[in-house]
Amino acid sequence: MTSDRENSVSQTPKVSIIMRSMNDIGFIEQTLKMVFSQEFTDFELLNVDSGSTDGTYDIVKKYNPGNSYQIPPGSYVPGKVLNEAIAKTKGEIIVFNNSDCIPQDNQWLGNLVKPLLEESEVIATYGNQLPRPDANPLIVKDNVRAFGDGKIAATWFHFFSLATSAIRRKTILEFPFDPELQYSEDVDWSYRMKKKGLVIKYVPDAVVEHSHNYTLPQVKKRFYNEGYAEGRIYGTSPGFLWNFLKPLMVEICRDLLYLSKKGKLPCIPGGLVYRFLQRYSAYKGRRDYFRKIKKL
């Protein structure tokens, strides 16, 4: 006998979930278990693994043997990989969920796609990301500000996260991801949609657990590359005072107040180093992009 779920996805599914993975052995099984426990069952799952060496892909094949594949290590360019994966799917709605984004209940998927099923003007959604229990205090603070009830991020110039998100198939086929950007492909895509006046909606009750405690070298690399990409995306050259120094001092004041309120005073020295490196690396990346452009 076949299950109701097997019958429901034997036809063209309403939703296609694309899950990217690379060496996520600590999270992949929890994520897959939660995906397959969703109340909304009209979906197919496509797993794309970037040459994992820690057993991640073995877990993927255990849970999703018929619809998963690997790409060679070192060949990963996010927009290119995502565009190729989308072409292999069938759903009217494409959901993206990273392999380390663990849904927190069986309503995650239904909540994430609900606006796309009920509100014709919405072309994409993104969900709420809770910090992990072991997240560093400033990571917790940043996650809450970026997500939470969405009110803070709504005041920012631009914000979107592809980590757990959904996009109409017809929209992403018409406006695909940039196949050359190595970082911030989601920022680039969503900013292009914003400039066209298209509606992207935050869904706070589509909840996953997702955060990273980066080492300082990882902070430097990640935020430099994001800053470099954002130079290309936004097309504005950074000023030292208004784009680095002033925002840095404002954020440090927030950090000190937050750590004091949470009784995390011993975290202040490390927090100052983290925040400076984060902000300076992003500023330096954007600055270097424009220096390169001027030389061309």
Side-chain angles (χ1 to χ4, degrees), residues 150-169:
K151 292 181 180 179
I152 294 176
T155 67
W156 297 347
F157 173 69
H158 182 64
F159 181 72
F160 176 75
S161 175
L162 194 69
T164 188
S165 59
I167 302 174
R168 293 190 188 278
R169 181 182 195 84

Side-chain angles (χ1 to χ4, degrees), residues 15 20 203 246:
V15 171
R20 294 173 285 175
V203 185
K246 183 179 177 181

Side-chain angles (χ1 to χ4, degrees), residues 178-189:
D178 187 320
E180 297 180 358
L181 274 177
Q182 190 66 56
Y183 283 81
S184 301
E185 77 286 351
D186 54 348
V187 175
D188 169 72
W189 181 84

